[in-house]
Amino acid sequence: MNDKDQFDSRETGRPVRYARTLLPGQRAELCVLDVDTGESRLLLSSEDQLFESPNWHPDGRWIVVNADGALYRVDSRDPSGLVPIHTPGLPELNNDHLVSPDGRWHYVSANDWHLYQVPWEGGHPERITADKAPERKFRHFLHGVSPDGGTLLYVGTEILDKDEWGRRALWSLDLPTGAERRIGDGYSPADGPEFSADGASVFSNSEVASNRPGHAQLFRHDLAGEPVRRLTSDERVNWFPHPSPDGRRLIHLSYPPGTIGHPADLPVVLRLIELPDGALVDLVALPGGQGSLNVSCWAPDSGHIAYVRYPIGTAEDTAESPPAAP
């Protein structure tokens, strides 16, 4: 979900264009991290186009990103550039997109606040979320798909009075029936819901246990009704938990203490938790935040992740640093 959403008026609630662009002297760099060795490999760098939110096709070859409100893919074996995925009629995209477990579909969040399904190779989109009552001004932000491909997870935001964000809650969407339901009590404010590898639980970040604004931590909600389990409890601000396909690991984005939301262009750390009870391990520190790790980033082999960093300056000036101390 993007904290830069804007509205042209409270009366219409219609979105305006907000696709991010690079700052002067900034680059977008797509990297692949070997989780076991801690080594990163630079796949693609651009001084012209800001791309975000990498996720993998199940074949392990293609990585999908968004840029300028549209979808692109990158060949991880021969990363010669961004290959556009043509989606005629699709509204400008938010930065949240996924590939179905069978590799046939993209699921995306669009800037009309709805979710869409698009064929993998591109083509005409199909909207898969329903309108709510107009006065609710409800918005959908995609984040997860179940291992069987039948259920999506999203953040639903509902504007209340003059509060732009209102209530932010976790929801599921059953694709065969279109039925939507709130997960637990929604855990507002919350973000980044993703299924566990077995589909029995939902990981997310939330401020539900915080006594101050921000300070999001990670949680696991057992869909069978067991108590919600808190996974992190530290001074850093933790977002976007991504479980590995084999269910053994969880990677997430960690912000400096005091960060509100998940903004761009901050010194952040990619962190790993060995499930179910492993300690936090800092993998790599980088300039980033928003767009670096918003959606599921694991390769199918559960040993590599894709992420985006946004350095400013020369390559020598912006070389990746060792992980910061917790």
Side-chain angles (χ1 to χ4, degrees), residues 10-65:
R10 291 291 179 184
E11 286 71 31
T12 66
R14 294 186 62 80
V16 298
R17 185 171 178 82
Y18 63 85
R20 290 173 60 207
T21 57
L22 292 169
L23 300 172
Q26 189 174 41
R27 304 186 305 281
E29 297 185 340
L30 176 63
C31 303
V32 171
L33 173 69
D34 184 316
V35 175
D36 293 312
T37 67
E39 296 180 359
S40 284
R41 176 170 60 103
L42 177 63
L43 284 187
L44 187 69
S45 179
S46 176
E47 297 178 352
D48 303 310
Q49 199 167 23
L50 190 152
F51 46 80
E52 301 179 288
S53 305
N55 64 293
W56 295 74
H57 188 277
D59 67 6
R61 177 175 181 176
W62 296 98
I63 298 174
V64 181
V65 298

Side-chain angles (χ1 to χ4, degrees), residues 178-250:
E180 298 173 80
R181 70 178 183 88
R182 197 172 68 192
I183 296 173
D185 68 358
Y187 309 111
S188 184
D191 208 341
E194 284 193 31
F195 281 102
S196 59
D198 60 7
S201 301
V202 171
F203 294 95
S204 66
N205 60 266
S206 177
E207 299 172 32
V208 67
S210 177
N211 58 9
R212 62 185 187 273
H215 200 222
Q217 298 296 309
L218 305 186
F219 296 84
R220 181 172 187 161
H221 171 91
D222 189 321
L223 295 173
E226 295 296 322
V228 175
R229 181 181 176 193
R230 183 169 178 170
L231 302 178
T232 60
S233 181
D234 61 285
E235 284 303 304
R236 295 187 64 84
V237 179
N238 299 306
W239 280 74
F240 298 139
H242 303 306
S244 59
D246 64 8
R248 295 177 49 240
R249 294 163 161 167
L250 189 77

Side-chain angles (χ1 to χ4, degrees), residues 41-259:
R41 176 170 60 103
L42 177 63
L43 284 187
L44 187 69
S45 179
S46 176
E47 297 178 352
D48 303 310
Q49 199 167 23
L50 190 152
F51 46 80
E52 301 179 288
S53 305
N55 64 293
W56 295 74
H57 188 277
D59 67 6
R61 177 175 181 176
W62 296 98
I63 298 174
V64 181
V65 298
N66 64 280
D68 300 325
L71 284 179
Y72 296 82
R73 60 183 180 178
V74 178
D75 189 339
S76 66
R77 302 174 189 170
D78 181 22
S80 56
L82 297 178
V83 179
I85 299 170
H86 298 289
T87 55
L90 184 65
E92 182 193 34
L93 297 184
N94 188 291
N95 57 347
D96 303 317
H97 50 85
L98 298 168
V99 181
S100 63
D102 62 9
R104 296 177 56 205
W105 304 100
H106 300 275
Y107 298 116
V108 300
S109 297
N111 200 21
D112 63 354
W113 316 133
H114 281 286
L115 307 184
Y116 290 80
Q117 175 179 281
V118 185
W120 162 251
E121 294 291 345
H124 292 279
E126 176 187 358
R127 202 179 87 178
I128 54 178
T129 47
D131 288 319
K132 310 296 189 292
E135 65 274 9
R136 292 183 64 185
K137 297 180 182 178
F138 195 92
R139 297 176 285 182
H140 307 76
F141 295 93
L142 178 68
H143 276 281
V145 58
S146 61
D148 65 5
T151 305
L152 298 181
L153 295 174
Y154 71 88
V155 178
T157 74
E158 186 174 354
I159 299 174
L160 305 172
D161 300 321
K162 295 183 179 181
D163 182 352
E164 179 180 346
W165 286 107
R167 181 176 177 84
R168 289 172 280 168
L170 307 181
W171 291 76
S172 67
L173 167 65
D174 182 74
L175 286 170
T177 65
E180 298 173 80
R181 70 178 183 88
R182 197 172 68 192
I183 296 173
D185 68 358
Y187 309 111
S188 184
D191 208 341
E194 284 193 31
F195 281 102
S196 59
D198 60 7
S201 301
V202 171
F203 294 95
S204 66
N205 60 266
S206 177
E207 299 172 32
V208 67
S210 177
N211 58 9
R212 62 185 187 273
H215 200 222
Q217 298 296 309
L218 305 186
F219 296 84
R220 181 172 187 161
H221 171 91
D222 189 321
L223 295 173
E226 295 296 322
V228 175
R229 181 181 176 193
R230 183 169 178 170
L231 302 178
T232 60
S233 181
D234 61 285
E235 284 303 304
R236 295 187 64 84
V237 179
N238 299 306
W239 280 74
F240 298 139
H242 303 306
S244 59
D246 64 8
R248 295 177 49 240
R249 294 163 161 167
L250 189 77
I251 199 158
H252 67 278
L253 185 67
S254 184
Y255 279 97
T259 304

Side-chain angles (χ1 to χ4, degrees), residues 25 27 29 42 47 309 311-321:
R27 304 186 305 281
E29 297 185 340
L42 177 63
E47 297 178 352
R309 61 192 182 200
I312 297 176
T314 66
E316 292 76 14
D317 294 336
T318 58
E320 282 188 351
S321 60

